[in-house]
Amino acid sequence: AHRSPPACLRSPVRDRALEALNTGADVVLVVAMPSDAGYEIAWVGDARAYLWDGIELTQLTSDQTMAEYFRLHDSIPTPRMEHVVTNSLRTTSAERIGTATVAGFKSLLLSSDGVHKVVSPQTIQAVLAESGSTTLSRVSTLVETAMVLGGKDNATALVVSTLVA
């Protein structure tokens, strides 16, 4: 996994994670790793990475779901399609892993669909912009907000902060 984020998604670490779950369920994941160029990001499913510059939230990943497939083909998806992943740790191959590289940012937000499909981008921005609060309290607020808004899926968020070069 130390080689690159895509390698992490195809590694023995992935196999051990799937074994530990032992449910047959598909697993989605986003990985961000520092590199000489900034951060390399890889993802499967509908876990996301966002760039946060202190003012604006920019989505770096694209959901690997039926809904996104339909949108890309100029069709209107049904609400259920938002939750049907087309790629996961269990089913992925090297060419199906999404990748991006980002540099010169204030923070990255990594989140599961239990956060970003429940909490609006505007609310996420407002939480991340809270002055006087710690990164940990902002992340906790995002997860708690997802639960308060009725989220029923796993809600996970992580903020990676760095100095802008």
Side-chain angles (χ1 to χ4, degrees):
H2 65 280
R3 293 169 286 167
S4 71
C8 181
L9 299 180
R10 297 185 321 269
S11 73
V13 172
R14 175 204 68 180
D15 297 336
R16 285 193 297 276
L18 290 172
E19 279 178 28
L21 289 171
N22 199 23
T23 64
D26 286 328
V27 178
V28 300
L29 183 64
V30 61
V31 176
M33 187 177 290
S35 72
D36 292 339
Y39 268 77
E40 292 182 49
I41 300 166
W43 71 94
V44 294
D46 55 358
R48 289 185 186 167
Y50 295 89
L51 180 122
W52 171 244
D53 65 6
I55 299 169
E56 187 176 358
L57 189 68
T58 304
Q59 186 175 330
L60 300 170
T61 58
S62 57
D63 293 350
Q64 295 174 337
T65 62
M66 286 301 296
E68 187 64 17
Y69 175 85
F70 270 65
R71 280 191 284 275
L72 289 172
H73 291 86
D74 297 320
S75 297
I76 299 171
T78 64
R80 176 71 185 121
M81 290 180 185
E82 296 290 349
H83 305 285
V84 179
V85 296
T86 57
N87 194 18
S88 72
L89 283 179
R90 189 176 304 283
T91 64
T92 200
S93 59
E95 60 277 352
R96 296 180 67 205
I97 294 172
T99 60
T101 301
V102 63
F105 61 90
K106 181 177 178 180
S107 299
L108 287 176
L109 168 66
L110 309 180
S111 66
S112 69
D113 62 329
V115 171
H116 59 255
K117 288 195 177 167
V118 178
V119 183
S120 72
Q122 295 81 9
T123 302
I124 293 172
Q125 282 185 178
V127 169
L128 292 176
E130 289 176 0
S131 61
S133 62
T134 66
T135 301
L136 180 58
S137 68
R138 289 182 206 139
V139 169
S140 295
T141 298
L142 287 175
V143 171
E144 290 167 11
T145 301
M147 293 186 305
V148 166
L149 292 174
K152 303 216 182 318
D153 206 344
N154 296 329
T156 305
L158 171 77
V159 172
V160 177
S161 296
T162 188
L163 298 174
V164 177

